[in-house]
């Protein structure tokens, strides 16, 4: 053995050996070395940015000079209670809630079939079909739906072929949700959101239904329960954590999105658009920060309720 090999052997047996013994005797040191850098990154970049938003939201803007007044005040939050700003908040929360409920209604039978009946290559095909839209660009999907919902789009063409054009016109004539076309209406925005976030509802529900024992369903039938009773008493309560887990994704993603309403929808703002306008065009950083805190507070309450319902066990 030459000098170089002997030095390497001594190093491996000495320094590395002592480090190995140290980590074995004190695993907390190893855990700190492994988790320290990512936790530091999250603390500085993520939590730090949220704290910066929180601080900015307690500032105000001078109405004459347009400069930010860096003094603690609730003036900006009080401005959120103005009818125009409160309308933006309520509109966004209502849209998020509607998309979440519709996603759950559509996703449940799909997830139930995948959990109870799909086997082998069929189940693989199911996962590919659910995940395939997520493999394409977000902007491509939104712009594709803008073309689909246009007056000359494939949706209106198909509706006209089956004689349902009067129904679409009746929907577009409704106040608030209607508009000149599906592209410029809340109905179109709702359809785009539903398409974008539906996979995030299907997968958690399917995972929750996979854990429902088949023997429990068989026992319910043997005891004389009708299918409706089995669904209400067994399937739905056991699948509820998965539904809530999926709703966390659909609700939060809809709540903070500003690109889809910018491309498909009316001129009325959502929270994400309001943040973009106040931060960019208007230059009102305190108001943008205050609007940014609204989804955070709403989701904090929502996650607290979801945790009480055991949703995190289905994630």
């Amino acid at each position: 053995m030459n000098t170089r090999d002997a030095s390497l052997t001594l190093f491996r047996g000495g320094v590395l050996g002592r480090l190995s013994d140290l980590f074995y005797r004190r695993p907390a040191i190893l855990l700190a070395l492994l988790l320290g850098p990512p936790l530091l990154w999250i603390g500085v970049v993520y939590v730090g940015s949220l704290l910066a938003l929180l601080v900015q939201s307690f500032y105000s803007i001078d109405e004459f000079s347009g400069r930010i007044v860096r003094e603690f005040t609730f003036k900006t939050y009080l401005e959120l209670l103005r009818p125009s700003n409160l309308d933006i908040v309520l509109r966004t929360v209502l849209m998020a809630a509607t998309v979440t409920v519709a996603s759950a209604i559509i996703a449940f039978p799909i997830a139930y079939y995948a959990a109870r009946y799909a086997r082998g290559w069929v189940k693989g095909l199911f996962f590919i079909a659910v995940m395939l839209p997520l493999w394409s660009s977000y902007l491509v999907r939104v712009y594709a739906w803008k073309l689909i919902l246009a007056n000359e789009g494939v949706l209106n063409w198909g509706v006209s072929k089956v004689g349902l054009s009067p129904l679409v016109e009746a929907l577009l004539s409704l106040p608030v949700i209607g508009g000149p076309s599906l592209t410029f209406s809340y109905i179109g925005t709702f359809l785009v959101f539903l398409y974008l976030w539906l996979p995030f509802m299907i997968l958690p529900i399917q995972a929750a239904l996979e854990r429902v024992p088949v023997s429990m369903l068989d026992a319910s039938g043997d005891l004389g329960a009708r299918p409706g009773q089995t669904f209400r008493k067994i399937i739905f309560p056991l699948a509820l954590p998965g539904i809530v887990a999926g709703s966390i994704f659909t609700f939060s993603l809809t709540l903070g999105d500003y690109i889809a309403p910018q491309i498909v929808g009316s001129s009325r703002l959502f929270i994400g658009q309001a943040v973009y306008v106040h931060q960019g065009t208007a230059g009102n950083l305190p108001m943008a920060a205050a609007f940014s805190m609204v989804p955070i507070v709403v989701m904090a309450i929502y996650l607290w309720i979801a945790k009480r319902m055991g949703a995190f066990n289905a994630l």
Side-chain angles (χ1 to χ4, degrees), residues 140-156:
V140 169
R141 286 178 283 156
V142 176
Y143 274 109
W145 268 95
K146 184 178 182 178
L147 296 177
I148 292 172
L149 298 174
N151 287 329
E152 302 81 11
V154 65
L155 182 61
N156 281 316

Side-chain angles (χ1 to χ4, degrees), residues 40-298:
L40 182 62
W41 173 263
I42 292 174
V44 173
V45 176
Y46 184 72
V47 179
S49 62
L50 292 181
L51 291 176
L53 276 177
L54 180 61
V55 172
Q56 287 279 351
S57 66
F58 288 107
Y59 294 157
S60 63
I61 193 165
D62 188 270
E63 297 178 358
F64 297 100
S65 64
R67 294 181 178 179
I68 298 175
V69 180
R70 301 182 184 279
E71 297 177 359
F72 185 87
T73 178
F74 287 100
K75 178 183 176 182
T76 306
Y77 280 104
L78 292 176
E79 291 181 4
L80 285 179
L81 300 179
R82 290 181 179 179
S84 58
N85 292 329
L86 191 60
D87 184 55
I88 294 174
V89 174
L90 295 178
R91 182 186 304 120
T92 307
V93 173
L94 183 60
M95 176 63 76
T98 305
V99 171
T100 299
V101 173
S103 298
I105 294 173
I106 296 174
F108 196 94
I110 300 174
Y112 185 80
Y113 173 81
R116 290 278 291 141
Y117 301 107
R119 295 291 183 272
W121 67 269
V122 177
K123 178 165 286 191
L125 185 63
F126 160 79
F127 283 110
I128 292 176
V130 172
M131 299 297 294
L132 187 61
L134 302 179
W135 298 351
S136 62
S137 170
Y138 172 88
L139 284 175
V140 169
R141 286 178 283 156
V142 176
Y143 274 109
W145 268 95
K146 184 178 182 178
L147 296 177
I148 292 172
L149 298 174
N151 287 329
E152 302 81 11
V154 65
L155 182 61
N156 281 316
W157 176 82
V159 167
S160 63
K161 289 298 181 180
V162 297
L164 294 178
S165 294
L167 177 61
V168 175
E169 294 175 0
L171 289 174
L172 292 176
S173 65
L174 294 174
V176 182
I177 66 173
S181 67
L182 289 172
T183 307
F184 301 100
S185 66
Y186 287 140
I187 299 175
T189 308
F190 167 78
L191 291 175
V192 173
F193 276 140
L194 187 62
Y195 167 79
L196 289 174
W197 312 136
L198 185 61
F200 296 93
M201 179 66 78
I202 295 176
L203 296 178
I205 296 178
Q206 189 266 342
L209 290 172
E210 288 278 3
R211 291 195 286 269
V212 177
V214 179
S215 59
M216 188 177 294
L217 304 181
D218 295 337
S220 176
D222 294 339
L223 293 174
R226 294 187 295 273
Q229 292 176 314
T230 302
F231 175 80
R232 292 193 305 271
K233 301 294 185 181
I234 298 177
I235 298 177
F236 184 77
L238 294 177
L240 187 59
I243 297 174
V244 179
S247 69
I248 293 173
F249 295 111
T250 55
F251 188 81
S252 61
L253 291 171
T254 306
L255 200 64
D257 198 316
Y258 81 96
I259 297 177
Q262 190 79 14
I263 299 173
V264 179
S266 66
S267 59
R268 296 177 179 177
L269 300 180
F270 286 80
I271 289 179
Q273 294 170 290
V275 173
Y276 177 78
V277 169
H278 284 292
Q279 186 273 337
T281 306
N284 192 344
L285 290 179
M287 180 57 69
F291 266 114
S292 299
M293 297 307 298
V294 173
I296 295 175
V297 173
V298 172

